[in-house]
Amino acid sequence: MTSDLSNSLRRATPVAGAVLDFFAADGARQPARRLALIGGFAPRKCGIATFTTDLFEQLGLHHPELSVDLHVIDSPTEPHAYPQARSVIRSDRAEDYRTAARRINEDAVDAVWLQHEYGIFGGASGALVLELVDRVAAPLIVTLHTVLADPSAQQRAVLEHILARASGVMVMSEHGRDVLSRVYGVDPARVTVIAHGAPDRPFGRSAEFKARAGLADKNVIMTFGLLGQGKGLETAIEALPAIAAQHPNTVYRIVGATHPNLVAAEGEAYRESLMDLARDLGVADHVLWDNRFLETGELLDQLEACDIYLTPYPNLQQSTSGTLSYAVALGKAVVSTPYLHASELLADGVGALVPPRSATALARAVNALLGDPQALDAMQRRAYARGRETIWPRFAEGCAQLVKTVAAIAPLQVPLTATPGASGVWAMCDSTGMLQHAIGTVPDRRHGYCLDDNVRALMLMGVADGIPLAERQRWATVFASFIQHAWNPDAGRFRNFMAFDRSWCEDVGSEDSNGRTLWALGHAVAHAPDAGLRQWARQWYDIAVGPLGQVDYPRSMAFAILGAVHVLAVEPDHGPSRALVERGGALLHALLAKGRRPDWAWFEAMLGYDNPRLPEALIRAGHLTKRADWLESGIEALRFIVAQQTTAKGQFRAIGSETFTPPHAVTYEAKPFDQQPLEAWAAVEACAAAWHALDADGEADTDGSARALWRGHAQAAYRWFLGANDRSLALGDLVSGRCRDGITPRGVNANCGAESILAFQLAHYALAGLERAAAPRVGSETQALGQTSKVRSVLGDRAYKAQPLAGQIGGQPALGQQRLANS
């Protein structure tokens, strides 16, 4: 019976089918994740390359549901071939980082995972990596292989910049998390500790592997890794005479090539100095050298052939040692200096800790173990037990869980016609008007009011048929009074900013705020919620249109055109409005012709704030005046900006406000954050304008594809508010009608200012009008579905307004500008 009902609803209404399909699948989706992994990689010989290779291989082996794209940081002096790589970034080339960011964004990955070590990136303290970090749109995870407690100013600046953009931070020790909290002010809850992974091999096979290596009758001590100053090998060699005196059948195996950078600087001078030291001390026969960088399998075989593993590092700030993790997991007794990683991993008797640069202490610890086979065996068993916590399956599980936690998840597909509540709007208002800013959801009186928000609020009262008429009339009067009081007759301009004590902070507001006010007055002439307010708006429009119709800034003129178009819709013979549209349309058309290039159909050499308003104004001007050339140019520019604001996933991505884009830089070269609500609202209304322009003598659309494009992008821009964005986080709250102030690299800005709330509200009513025009039955279908208990249980009674929406709203122009541009 339930199936029959569902099928009947699907046949009756497409909207019903879509909603039922969503609820049927809710909670059952387990989408695959795509990860961009960035770091060194084999065959490059360095610790970061080994770690990244291990991570890549272990995720592939244990978590095939994660698709991993490899982006390799390569050495500029010793380049290698990486057949598995999606891209190769030459560490000293800024353009390579930007190109990789572009590819990552085009691949629509769910997360980006960066392995960070200052030395593997180009620039001062590895600053070139910021060219990539600032441009990737997916959530960023960063593994910090070094966490300096006393960084240089440049090192601190680079790391703090990365931390500010990271959605997830991984370290491999509790100490690393403590330093991030204490030195860098990072909330410990943001930091995940995942111990360095290690292989899973059986315990107690040293005799077998010693025999393979021809060392059956020997006590074998070992150190592995790239040779260089800072490994403490001098101390180990200095301890050998005392060890050999008590246990003459002992050998010390030093396995590993000299670090490539050291070889480039001085050849093998360092290795030769160690050999000279062993010879001078009379223990040359006890030191076995293997000057190779071993592949992982051979390295593990070598480790299995030792009894005691040494890490005599003098630098006690070293936070990670992969070889130490390997040795413990294989059940080797370890004698080490108490550097950070060793102090944590070898605690509780898992290993023996000795002071740095103390050959005497090192010899005493080794001799104690070699002289007591039971103690040696007990330490090896404790090490093996500790290693079970870090073996590859557990390491891979922790890493996969981190990716899944940070990665974008599919947003909730709520019905687009669900009407936002209004309590969040009223919470920002008082008898003066609408306050500008909020801390969280609470108005911040310190910043007072601004004209921009009050003119937007007046426009909302003209279209918000989800709010009772009496409330709209009451609050429209408050906002109108604010606008009226803002006029400065001496300057022939409106003021913008007002302090909480109702004192004006300036004599004249910006060109943009004045253009917006003319737009709002024109909008009120056509849409104010009662005749008295429409008459009031016409009086003030006539006062302001003369001086404000002469503005020259492109966006200010675009705003003014939008107001004039509204007036001409109700009074086609209004001369000043007609003159304004003619002048403004010609200005925008000329700007586009001047700025156009083969790959750049835009009015300016850069993309800034409130971009879609420029083509919207030209489209509306061309439509109104029947200027086919203006209409065609406006459509061309709108297609261009739509392409810049559409991700590889088909989602909307607002042009980021972080300096906006440099001249003639399309968005893959730009920084994607912070994304702000006004851009999404502007996109909804500009696409609605293009959709409606096709009713007349505009762009040919014989198969409906052009209308589908504009409607689809308007929907995508509105879904941005609901979670279909780069962080899969909802900004708009359908219950209260509030909206967060934007999307940052780490998520949403929790503040709910007036600008954002009004952008969300006005975007909803613009899209509702477009949907009604495109599919006239959508209102009644939504009304029927709105009664279902399932919809109410998910959205809440106040969030889902089921009543039909009356009146034509789809073409409502609205405004928007980043708050930054107002100041």
Side-chain angles (χ1 to χ4, degrees):
M1 183 173 180
T2 301
S3 177
D4 292 342
L5 177 59
S6 298
N7 291 334
S8 297
L9 280 171
R10 285 190 177 87
R11 287 192 296 271
T13 66
V15 172
V19 174
L20 288 170
D21 288 341
F22 163 71
F23 286 124
D26 186 28
R29 293 184 293 267
Q30 295 294 331
R33 302 293 185 210
R34 187 173 181 182
L35 172 68
L37 179 62
I38 306 167
F41 201 77
R44 186 174 181 182
K45 297 177 173 125
C46 75
I48 304 301
T50 300
F51 181 89
T52 310
T53 304
D54 285 339
L55 179 58
F56 179 81
E57 292 177 349
Q58 297 306 321
L59 285 177
L61 178 63
H62 297 287
H63 289 276
E65 76 277 9
L66 292 177
S67 173
V68 183
D69 295 341
L70 183 63
H71 298 266
V72 178
I73 307 295
D74 199 17
S75 166
T77 57
E78 289 191 58
H80 295 87
Y82 303 98
Q84 293 173 286
R86 182 80 172 129
S87 72
V88 177
I89 302 167
R90 293 166 292 183
S91 64
D92 61 340
R93 304 289 184 91
E95 63 271 22
D96 283 11
Y97 293 92
R98 293 193 288 265
T99 300
R102 170 188 180 181
R103 174 161 288 181
I104 289 168
N105 288 344
E106 289 175 345
D107 286 342
V109 302
D110 297 294
V112 177
W113 195 339
L114 174 72
Q115 307 306 310
H116 180 265
E117 174 64 66
Y118 295 103
I120 70 169
F121 306 113
S125 299
L128 277 183
V129 74
L130 303 182
E131 295 290 331
L132 184 149
V133 165
D134 285 347
R135 286 171 171 79
V136 292
L140 175 69
I141 305 167
V142 58
T143 300
L144 300 178
H145 291 265
T146 296
V147 185
L148 298 176
D150 187 22
S152 69
Q154 179 70 17
Q155 287 170 332
R156 176 186 283 274
V158 169
L159 183 55
E160 287 182 341
H161 190 107
I162 293 172
L163 290 171
R165 306 191 76 85
S167 298
V169 180
M170 172 189 162
V171 294
M172 286 175 264
S173 69
E174 291 292 343
H175 181 85
R177 175 155 55 187
D178 293 342
V179 171
L180 285 174
S181 175
R182 176 170 47 84
V183 178
Y184 299 90
V186 178
D187 182 355
R190 286 185 56 210
V191 183
T192 301
V193 178
I194 302 176
H196 194 294
D200 185 12
R201 285 192 169 193
F203 176 75
R205 301 195 297 174
S206 61
E208 173 188 343
F209 283 88
K210 280 185 188 181
R212 292 185 190 179
L215 300 171
D217 60 342
K218 302 292 186 182
N219 297 318
V220 180
I221 305 169
M222 179 179 171
T223 295
F224 168 80
L226 292 173
L227 268 64
Q229 289 93 347
K231 294 288 188 179
L233 298 178
E234 299 88 347
T235 303
I237 292 173
E238 289 167 357
L240 270 181
I243 296 171
Q246 291 191 29
H247 304 281
N249 63 336
T250 299
V251 294
Y252 178 35
R253 303 193 64 240
I254 300 177
V255 181
T258 305
H259 197 289
N261 293 345
L262 194 59
V263 172
E266 60 181 46
E268 289 290 355
Y270 176 66
R271 180 184 296 272
E272 291 167 359
S273 72
L274 294 176
M275 291 178 172
D276 291 341
L277 176 61
R279 186 170 49 253
D280 293 343
L281 294 174
V283 292
D285 292 341
H286 292 271
V287 182
L288 303 180
W289 301 89
D290 192 343
N291 186 10
R292 295 181 298 146
F293 186 89
L294 303 183
E295 298 299 328
T296 301
E298 187 177 359
L299 165 61
L300 298 178
D301 291 347
Q302 299 266 21
L303 279 170
E304 290 221 56
C306 84
D307 300 294
I308 299 174
Y309 189 77
L310 301 184
T311 54
Y313 305 157
N315 176 15
L316 301 187
Q317 296 303 309
Q318 181 161 334
S319 57
T320 305
S321 169
T323 58
L324 175 66
S325 298
Y326 284 13
V328 169
L330 292 179
K332 299 303 165 184
V334 179
V335 177
S336 174
T337 53
Y339 59 92
L340 299 177
H341 189 194
S343 294
E344 291 188 17
L345 189 58
L346 303 181
D348 303 320
V350 171
L353 298 177
V354 298
R357 297 188 177 89
S358 175
T360 301
L362 183 60
R364 185 184 304 118
V366 171
N367 282 332
L369 290 170
L370 293 179
D372 187 346
Q374 289 184 337
L376 178 62
D377 180 73
M379 182 176 286
Q380 290 171 339
R381 291 182 182 278
R382 287 194 294 270
Y384 190 77
R386 175 65 59 86
R388 299 311 87 204
E389 301 171 8
T390 63
I391 56 175
W392 289 132
R394 294 197 177 185
F395 171 79
E397 176 60 31
C399 292
Q401 188 56 49
L402 177 59
V403 172
K404 292 171 184 177
T405 299
V406 170
I409 58 174
L412 180 66
Q413 297 295 319
V414 300
L416 291 179
T417 48
T419 305
S423 62
V425 179
W426 311 139
M428 292 293 293
C429 300
D430 61 17
S431 60
T432 300
M434 194 168 194
L435 290 143
Q436 279 194 84
H437 296 302
I439 299 175
T441 60
V442 179
D444 186 358
R445 296 180 179 183
R446 295 172 301 173
H447 296 282
Y449 315 81
C450 76
L451 180 64
D452 287 311
D453 293 329
N454 282 273
V455 301
R456 295 181 187 109
L458 179 62
M459 287 195 286
L460 178 61
M461 296 304 98
V463 299
D465 55 1
I467 299 173
L469 179 61
E471 285 189 66
R472 292 164 55 201
Q473 291 171 330
R474 173 198 169 196
W475 285 107
T477 303
V478 172
F479 306 137
S481 179
F482 189 99
I483 296 169
Q484 182 171 271
H485 185 49
W487 178 252
N488 182 342
D490 297 332
R493 290 288 191 275
F494 290 96
R495 304 173 180 91
N496 191 12
F497 295 109
M498 175 189 278
F500 186 66
D501 64 3
R502 296 189 177 183
S503 62
W504 289 105
C505 303
E506 58 191 356
D507 290 329
V508 174
S510 67
E511 292 274 320
D512 280 355
S513 66
N514 275 271
R516 281 191 201 93
T517 306
L518 191 64
W519 171 18
L521 289 169
H523 186 276
V525 168
H527 300 290
D530 64 51
L533 282 168
R534 292 192 289 274
Q535 182 179 4
W536 167 89
R538 170 63 190 277
Q539 292 172 343
W540 276 102
Y541 179 87
D542 286 343
I543 291 171
V545 68
L548 300 188
Q550 302 305 309
V551 295
D552 291 321
Y553 291 125
R555 283 169 182 74
S556 308
M557 176 52 70
F559 299 148
I561 289 172
L562 296 177
V565 166
H566 278 293
V567 173
L568 291 169
V570 296
E571 190 176 335
D573 296 329
H574 193 268
S577 295
R578 178 71 58 171
L580 190 160
V581 171
E582 294 282 357
R583 175 177 178 269
L587 172 66
L588 292 179
H589 188 252
L591 281 175
L592 182 60
K594 182 179 179 181
R596 185 186 284 109
R597 294 172 21 158
D599 61 345
W600 190 263
W602 198 242
F603 305 85
E604 303 163 315
M606 63 180 291
L607 301 177
Y609 61 91
D610 228 2
N611 296 284
R613 295 302 179 188
L614 297 172
E616 179 191 357
L618 190 52
I619 289 168
R620 291 189 186 280
H623 190 187
L624 179 77
T625 60
K626 301 189 183 304
R627 286 285 302 267
D629 55 340
W630 291 4
L631 185 58
E632 182 180 353
S633 292
I635 293 289
E636 179 190 14
L638 185 57
R639 284 185 181 276
F640 173 80
I641 196 64
V642 162
Q644 304 310 306
Q645 297 188 133
T646 302
T647 73
K649 293 180 179 179
Q651 293 181 339
F652 179 79
R653 176 183 294 150
I655 299 297
S657 66
E658 287 188 336
T659 73
F660 300 115
T661 67
H664 296 113
V666 289
T667 51
Y668 63 74
E669 296 171 329
K671 299 176 181 179
F673 301 102
D674 292 354
Q675 300 173 29
Q676 299 186 355
L678 284 181
E679 195 75 11
W681 170 35
V684 173
E685 297 210 327
C687 290
W691 193 95
H692 285 286
L694 296 174
D695 280 337
D697 55 350
E699 181 180 358
D701 189 29
T702 55
D703 62 356
S705 60
R707 278 191 163 184
L709 168 70
W710 302 129
R711 184 183 179 192
H713 191 66
Q715 291 174 342
Y718 183 65
R719 286 194 177 101
W720 178 89
F721 288 101
L722 303 177
N725 52 54
D726 284 317
R727 289 297 172 269
S728 291
L729 296 171
L731 286 84
D733 173 29
L734 288 168
V735 174
S736 68
R738 290 188 177 92
C739 182
R740 304 297 185 182
D741 279 349
I743 300 175
T744 75
R746 286 169 47 194
V748 296
N749 181 334
N751 298 326
C752 298
E755 179 181 280
S756 304
I757 294 171
L758 293 167
F760 175 46
Q761 294 274 345
L762 285 160
H764 161 73
Y765 287 104
L767 184 68
L770 175 58
E771 290 298 294
R772 197 164 38 251
R777 292 188 59 192
V778 71
S780 59
E781 291 171 1
T782 302
Q783 183 177 24
L785 285 172
Q787 306 307 315
T788 68
S789 59
K790 184 64 181 265
V791 171
R792 289 190 180 277
S793 69
V794 172
L795 299 179
D797 289 343
R798 290 181 298 159
Y800 195 94
K801 302 290 186 181
Q803 69 274 16
L805 304 175
Q808 173 63 42
I809 307 172
Q812 302 297 343
L815 73 98
Q817 180 181 2
Q818 318 294 4
R819 183 73 67 191
L820 177 64
N822 290 333
S823 56

